[in-house]
Amino acid sequence: MTSKRIMKISSGLLLLGGCFAATAQAQGEKRLFDAIAEAQTPRTVRSTRPEQQKTEHDRSERFTPNQPSPLSPAVKNQPKSGRISGFDFYRDPLNADQPMQKPEDIMKKETAGKADVMAAQKQLLEQRYDLNVKTDPSAKMSRGKPLAVGPTARLPSGMTWDKLGEAAPEEIRAQGIFPYPSLPHPLQSNGGQVFPKMQIDMFPRLERFDVDFDLPEAFLPEFPPALFLNNRPELGDVSRGEVISINNYYRLFKDILTPIQLDGLRLLVTPFPQEEFNPTDDRKSKEPSLGVTCFDCHVNGHTTGQFHLSPDIRPQERRFRLDTTSLRGVFNQQIHSSKRSLRSVEDFTEFEQRTAYFNGDEIHAIKKGMNVLDRIPVSHMAQMQNMLDFPPAPKLDPATGRLDPAKATESEARGENIFFGKGQCSNCHMPPTYLDHQMHDLHLERFVNEPGDGTIKTFTLRGIKDSPPYMHDGRALTLEDTVEFFNIVLQLKLNAQEKQDLVAFMRQL
């Protein structure tokens, strides 16, 4: 065979390989494989067999709910002809304005109203915040996303942060100038879990027909977030830039985790029915689904800022918005859940599904697909969660959690002094994990004409730069907003330089 012919064949093979690669790439860009969606998507097949044809029996009205054949002819002589009239807890879309509305009518109505719901929320956000994103040119999250810089809260004309920091609580409340009132769910009546668009783009099954996510992506954590394991610290981020799911968990972790931990991870990426995502008529997803996974909300053991309503408060209008918190460093926490003060990861794991998954309502859970977890799989899930570590903090002393003076900048060192002194931060956030395992009430009703939130647990500040937005409901979009919030609430009277230094320190945690 001549060299000229060999070159021609080789060129042809390269061209053919390039075509296959281009096709595969195009298909990959078109749709990422989702095993959960694949399991729920029926394929259209030709009706060629007799048993596939619809019969008169199939089309008859005997399947219509209000026309069943009675058990006995005598039933018609009983009260109400033996029927249950009015509200049917099993079939009716619970919390509907009108009992026994058809699911398709509810979906049509709420789909049509979605634009107005989000327009109203956008107007509220733009009134409260400057949403023109400013990012720090050098400060990044663990995988490189730039940090948004604030403060973003809008102040009334003529008001400054210094003046606000000097004002008394009574004055702030009387004038209605507190810049960080509670942030409501965009659709309080329905409530429920809402996922950001960047996550829905990858997993369309998480989209709702009645409400969308409201905060701009720049103020959210990375997607996908980094994942660190305390049993293999030398590996650093083990996510490898992937969202951990049922599709890839085994491939990524079969050689890193023990069999028990791997089984716990399997359960954490397995979908279970949830209030808004399930196959029942009153779901809020367009198509029926298997539900959501623990790691849909706690993506890679972290968060992407998804929110729902606190399941522990009634009536509905008193329930507050609750951001999904990170599971990083959960092994070091002695209490779990924002309001419940649960005392073990196992209790949190088991109780979370009965509350956050179903808004604390077992009637809903039984109807939609209650999943009773035995304590053994719960312990597997807990052990996996206990592997999730904080991101590295190279400027902190490993033993004490304090800044290493040889590595800190002057601003960071000043910020640490403020943190442990004038700023009063360490009263609740003590090193090395920067939390105190306690519940606290800030009594925000002193500053705003709202009833306040009651006691909420202290959340860790380790890795805090990776976890915007801040506070339990995300009302503080940046670390700068958080500093301004506490400067007002704790009446610290920090000056501009002290605030800047405090943020510089917290970025190193």
Side-chain angles (χ1 to χ4, degrees):
M1 186 180 292
T2 66
S3 58
K4 188 174 183 180
R5 186 178 179 188
I6 292 173
M7 289 177 65
K8 187 174 182 180
I9 293 173
S10 300
S11 299
L13 290 172
L14 285 170
L15 180 61
L16 184 61
C19 291
F20 281 133
T23 302
Q25 182 179 4
Q27 291 175 344
E29 291 174 352
K30 182 178 180 182
R31 182 178 70 88
L32 291 171
F33 181 77
D34 182 350
I36 298 173
E38 186 74 12
Q40 300 174 99
T41 306
R43 291 173 173 79
T44 302
V45 295
R46 294 178 62 188
S47 301
T48 57
R49 302 191 304 276
E51 65 270 25
Q52 293 176 291
Q53 310 305 312
K54 290 282 187 181
T55 66
E56 290 300 319
H57 170 82
D58 299 331
R59 291 188 290 266
S60 69
E61 293 185 352
R62 69 179 62 198
F63 299 104
T64 304
N66 61 357
Q67 294 185 1
S69 299
L71 173 69
S72 165
V75 171
K76 66 181 180 180
N77 299 318
Q78 294 181 7
K80 299 182 181 180
S81 297
R83 294 179 178 177
I84 295 177
S85 59
F87 199 91
D88 185 335
F89 273 91
Y90 180 74
R91 288 195 59 259
D92 188 73
L94 299 180
N95 294 328
D97 293 334
Q98 299 178 19
M100 300 308 296
Q101 280 185 304
K102 293 181 180 179
E104 54 269 26
D105 291 342
I106 295 176
M107 185 183 299
K108 182 178 180 180
K109 178 182 177 182
E110 294 192 345
T111 300
K114 183 177 182 178
D116 290 339
V117 168
M118 298 315 300
Q121 185 73 355
K122 181 180 180 182
Q123 183 179 18
L124 174 70
L125 293 175
E126 290 178 342
Q127 288 174 348
R128 292 189 180 185
Y129 305 102
D130 178 0
L131 299 178
N132 295 308
V133 180
K134 305 178 186 67
T135 57
D136 191 291
S138 58
K140 313 286 185 185
M141 298 184 194
S142 293
R143 289 193 58 84
K145 181 176 180 176
L147 295 187
V149 176
T152 62
R154 295 186 185 275
L155 299 181
S157 178
M159 180 57 64
T160 66
W161 290 109
D162 288 340
K163 290 180 182 179
L164 200 55
E166 294 288 340
E170 298 79 12
E171 181 184 354
I172 293 174
R173 180 178 179 179
Q175 297 184 33
I177 55 175
F178 187 64
Y180 300 105
S182 60
L183 183 62
H185 194 294
L187 190 56
Q188 183 81 14
S189 58
N190 287 359
Q193 191 80 342
V194 184
F195 294 87
K197 183 179 183 301
M198 58 190 179
Q199 193 169 353
I200 291 173
D201 287 343
M202 182 173 286
F203 302 108
R205 58 189 170 80
L206 299 176
E207 185 172 17
R208 290 175 56 163
F209 58 72
D210 60 335
V211 67
D212 281 330
F213 198 88
D214 54 351
L215 298 179
E217 183 178 326
F219 298 111
L220 302 182
E222 298 174 306
F223 183 76
L227 193 158
F228 305 95
L229 299 176
N230 58 18
N231 64 329
R232 295 296 303 275
E234 81 284 1
L235 293 178
D237 174 17
V238 296
S239 74
R240 283 157 276 183
E242 299 187 40
V243 174
I244 312 306
S245 69
I246 199 72
N247 306 312
N248 59 16
Y249 84 96
Y250 191 80
R251 168 175 58 82
L252 292 174
F253 295 101
K254 62 182 179 179
D255 297 320
I256 296 176
L257 300 175
T258 70
I260 285 179
Q261 294 160 3
L262 197 63
D263 184 57
L265 181 56
R266 173 187 64 83
L267 290 163
L268 291 170
V269 296
T270 295
F272 298 123
Q274 192 261 3
E275 181 73 6
E276 291 77 34
F277 302 91
N278 60 75
T280 64
D281 289 347
D282 54 338
R283 66 182 183 269
K284 297 302 179 185
S285 57
K286 184 178 179 180
E287 302 295 340
S289 74
L290 298 174
V292 299
T293 77
C294 300
F295 268 28
D296 278 335
C297 302
H298 301 282
V299 177
N300 289 9
H302 189 47
T303 175
T304 54
Q306 311 90 335
F307 62 84
H308 59 111
L309 290 180
S310 171
D312 305 307
I313 304 168
R314 293 298 186 276
Q316 184 78 0
E317 58 268 31
R318 278 290 292 117
R319 298 173 67 187
F320 59 70
R321 175 169 171 158
L322 197 62
D323 275 9
T324 301
T325 188
S326 176
L327 294 181
R328 291 173 176 177
V330 74
F331 59 89
N332 248 323
Q333 299 179 25
Q334 296 176 16
I335 60 174
H336 307 275
S337 186
S338 61
K339 298 288 282 184
R340 287 182 230 120
S341 189
L342 300 173
R343 298 295 163 155
S344 73
V345 182
E346 288 81 0
D347 288 339
F348 167 76
T349 301
E350 184 175 2
F351 209 69
E352 185 74 1
Q353 204 187 57
R354 301 182 188 181
T355 52
Y357 267 46
F358 292 104
N359 291 323
D361 190 335
E362 290 191 341
I363 294 176
H364 284 218
I366 292 169
K367 170 187 173 183
K368 298 183 177 205
M370 176 184 285
N371 186 66
V372 180
L373 293 171
D374 184 85
R375 202 63 174 182
I376 292 176
V378 165
S379 70
H380 292 187
M381 297 167 78
Q383 186 173 150
M384 179 60 222
Q385 291 172 82
N386 282 329
M387 296 295 102
L388 304 173
D389 207 352
F390 297 117
K395 291 190 177 183
L396 297 185
D397 180 276
T400 65
R402 297 291 296 268
L403 273 180
D404 182 341
K407 298 178 180 178
T409 66
E410 291 183 4
S411 177
E412 292 160 1
R414 291 194 304 266
E416 182 181 41
N417 290 333
I418 297 166
F419 188 95
F420 289 95
K422 183 178 178 180
Q424 302 181 29
C425 311
S426 61
N427 290 350
C428 300
H429 300 280
M430 297 182 292
T433 51
Y434 288 85
L435 76 163
D436 65 354
H437 312 290
Q438 299 292 321
M439 310 281 287
H440 298 278
D441 188 351
L442 294 173
H443 294 287
L444 297 181
E445 62 273 14
R446 296 174 295 152
F447 297 88
V448 65
N449 190 24
E450 294 177 358
D453 301 318
T455 56
I456 295 177
K457 80 164 188 175
T458 302
F459 291 89
T460 178
L461 296 187
R462 278 285 283 110
I464 191 65
K465 66 180 173 62
D466 282 9
S467 302
Y470 303 105
M471 309 305 294
H472 63 271
D473 56 1
R475 69 180 73 181
L477 303 186
T478 66
L479 281 175
E480 288 82 2
D481 286 294
T482 309
V483 169
E484 295 291 357
F485 173 92
F486 280 103
N487 187 53
I488 298 169
V489 172
L490 300 182
Q491 299 179 276
L492 303 174
K493 296 180 172 53
L494 300 176
N495 62 41
Q497 185 61 57
E498 289 171 328
K499 296 172 186 176
Q500 183 178 332
D501 292 340
L502 188 53
V503 169
F505 170 69
M506 288 195 292
R507 287 178 174 180
Q508 306 310 314
L509 295 181

